Amino acid sequence: MELSRRTAPGMGIPVMETSNPSQNLESILNRNTPATSIYQKSINLLDKLACIDGFEPYMTAMFDDGARDMKEGAPYLNPIQLLWDTFRQGTSLCVIYNALHPSEPLDTSLDETKNILRQRKERVYRFVKACKETQAVRDEDLFTISELFKDDTNSFVKVLKTIEIVVDAVQSRGLLDTDRIAEKPSAKFAEAQLGPPQDNRERVVKEFVETERKYVQDLELLQGYMDELQRKNIISSDTIRYIFANLNSIVDFQRRFLVGIEPYVPKSPEEQHFGELFVSMKEGFMVYEPYCANYTRATKLCIAEQEALK
């Protein structure tokens, strides 16, 4: 059994030819698998957060037996939702910023007698404002309050990037105390380490997860291209909407699908419930209906706008 290589839908965008057109396709299909997915980045960040002074209460709450996904009300199955819910508390972000030892630390407390959600959002605002004013993070790399509270992985990717920048700054200053943790919190989540496959099944699983990682990477590249077209006003907003349709929704769904795949990869064959994942997410695949319906029109538009798109 062999999986065919999967490529991004492209929204009808034609491949710009070089002197050897076949090289274009080969260069896309034969690229190395991305070094880190959103799942792996979240696992790495978890271990660093555990080394931050004052973050212990959040780590304890994260891995308490009664900890539940704020959205589904079920135990946390992946590090993404775990971090997402933790960052939405607001005070956790203030603790992360304070690890930089700023001249004006942020308040990390909440008044239980007042509106909690409003206070959390206010703490998030203070974190973003402090990062901006101290130039700890560039403006283009800062997330907004609405992005943190959106149920959209496109927004969470930006949140993750902002916090990675701050935590990396803490680490570069030698302020991460690695001696404070006996066991890495990432141990709770199995990381999909892809070693040499030992049999045909492992080869199929390896091809499966690597293909999905590459596909998400291709979608993200296409998404970045769309954002550049918008930012530079190269073609009209209506044309962009007709060409790319619901690309953001497709990227969001495919990231979630990949996040569902990753925990199963290192498990035994008896525990690799890939079929169950497909069944549980079957409605999500309907996101491709608008893409399919729009394909012919998008292709014609791309041909008409080919010079601008180059």
Side-chain angles (χ1 to χ4, degrees), residues 128-139:
V128 173
K129 183 172 181 284
C131 288
K132 180 182 177 70
E133 291 180 346
T134 61
Q135 298 182 332
V137 182
R138 297 181 304 175
D139 288 357

Side-chain angles (χ1 to χ4, degrees), residues 157-228:
V157 165
K158 192 166 184 181
V159 172
L160 199 62
K161 182 176 182 180
T162 300
I163 297 170
E164 281 179 324
I165 291 171
V166 176
V167 173
D168 285 347
V170 174
Q171 184 176 22
S172 68
R173 299 179 188 182
L175 299 174
L176 283 187
D177 184 5
T178 55
D179 295 330
R180 70 170 51 249
I181 55 172
E183 182 183 17
K184 291 183 177 181
S186 60
K188 177 179 174 65
F189 302 102
E191 186 173 359
Q193 298 287 355
L194 300 174
Q198 301 301 310
D199 54 37
N200 285 337
R201 181 189 174 88
E202 287 191 10
R203 274 191 284 274
V204 171
V205 170
K206 186 174 188 288
E207 178 77 7
F208 180 31
V209 69
E210 285 186 346
T211 300
E212 289 303 317
R213 286 177 181 173
K214 288 176 182 176
Y215 181 54
V216 169
Q217 183 187 45
D218 289 341
L219 287 173
E220 290 174 340
L221 287 171
L222 189 60
Q223 192 177 41
Y225 178 63
M226 178 184 70
D227 292 341
E228 278 294 286

Side-chain angles (χ1 to χ4, degrees), residues 79-95:
I80 292 91
Q81 195 62 49
L82 181 64
L83 287 174
W84 211 336
D85 288 346
T86 301
F87 296 152
R88 283 171 173 167
Q89 294 181 39
T91 52
S92 58
L93 298 178
C94 295
V95 170

Side-chain angles (χ1 to χ4, degrees), residues 34-290:
T36 53
S37 64
I38 185 176
Y39 186 94
Q40 293 163 309
K41 286 182 179 180
S42 296
I43 281 179
N44 293 337
L45 183 58
L46 261 179
D47 289 339
K48 290 182 180 180
L49 290 174
C51 300
I52 288 181
D53 183 34
F55 210 80
E56 299 92 336
Y58 301 99
M59 298 304 298
T60 301
M62 282 183 193
F63 297 106
D64 183 90
D65 290 339
R68 290 292 185 272
D69 183 328
M70 290 172 64
K71 180 185 175 185
E72 304 292 343
Y76 287 104
L77 300 177
N78 67 73
I80 292 91
Q81 195 62 49
L82 181 64
L83 287 174
W84 211 336
D85 288 346
T86 301
F87 296 152
R88 283 171 173 167
Q89 294 181 39
T91 52
S92 58
L93 298 178
C94 295
V95 170
I96 294 171
Y97 175 78
N98 289 346
L100 290 169
H101 292 178
S103 56
E104 296 181 19
L106 300 178
D107 183 10
T108 60
S109 62
L110 294 178
D111 186 341
E112 297 295 332
T113 65
K114 296 181 180 178
N115 186 297
I116 296 297
L117 180 58
R118 184 179 301 169
Q119 290 184 80
R120 285 177 174 174
K121 289 186 175 181
E122 194 268 340
R123 295 298 185 276
V124 175
Y125 167 75
R126 289 187 184 181
F127 168 81
V128 173
K129 183 172 181 284
C131 288
K132 180 182 177 70
E133 291 180 346
T134 61
Q135 298 182 332
V137 182
R138 297 181 304 175
D139 288 357
E140 59 266 33
D141 291 329
L142 279 171
F143 65 84
T144 63
I145 297 175
S146 62
E147 285 174 328
L148 176 57
F149 286 89
K150 268 184 188 174
D151 184 24
D152 185 341
T153 61
N154 293 306
S155 297
F156 182 70
V157 165
K158 192 166 184 181
V159 172
L160 199 62
K161 182 176 182 180
T162 300
I163 297 170
E164 281 179 324
I165 291 171
V166 176
V167 173
D168 285 347
V170 174
Q171 184 176 22
S172 68
R173 299 179 188 182
L175 299 174
L176 283 187
D177 184 5
T178 55
D179 295 330
R180 70 170 51 249
I181 55 172
E183 182 183 17
K184 291 183 177 181
S186 60
K188 177 179 174 65
F189 302 102
E191 186 173 359
Q193 298 287 355
L194 300 174
Q198 301 301 310
D199 54 37
N200 285 337
R201 181 189 174 88
E202 287 191 10
R203 274 191 284 274
V204 171
V205 170
K206 186 174 188 288
E207 178 77 7
F208 180 31
V209 69
E210 285 186 346
T211 300
E212 289 303 317
R213 286 177 181 173
K214 288 176 182 176
Y215 181 54
V216 169
Q217 183 187 45
D218 289 341
L219 287 173
E220 290 174 340
L221 287 171
L222 189 60
Q223 192 177 41
Y225 178 63
M226 178 184 70
D227 292 341
E228 278 294 286
L229 290 175
Q230 291 175 320
R231 188 175 67 84
K232 295 183 177 179
N233 198 29
I234 291 172
I235 55 179
S236 71
S237 56
D238 284 343
T239 301
I240 289 174
R241 185 169 67 254
Y242 289 138
I243 291 176
F244 294 95
N246 63 332
L247 174 60
N248 287 334
S249 298
I250 291 176
V251 177
D252 179 48
F253 170 73
Q254 287 299 153
R255 281 203 198 97
R256 294 176 189 272
F257 184 62
L258 177 57
V259 166
I261 292 171
E262 300 255 19
Y264 287 134
V265 174
K267 293 186 176 182
S268 66
E270 293 76 20
E271 297 175 301
Q272 289 177 330
H273 304 304
F274 293 118
E276 184 179 289
L277 176 65
F278 275 93
V279 172
S280 67
M281 301 191 73
K282 62 181 180 181
E283 291 184 5
F285 285 98
M286 301 295 285
V287 75
Y288 282 96
E289 279 194 346

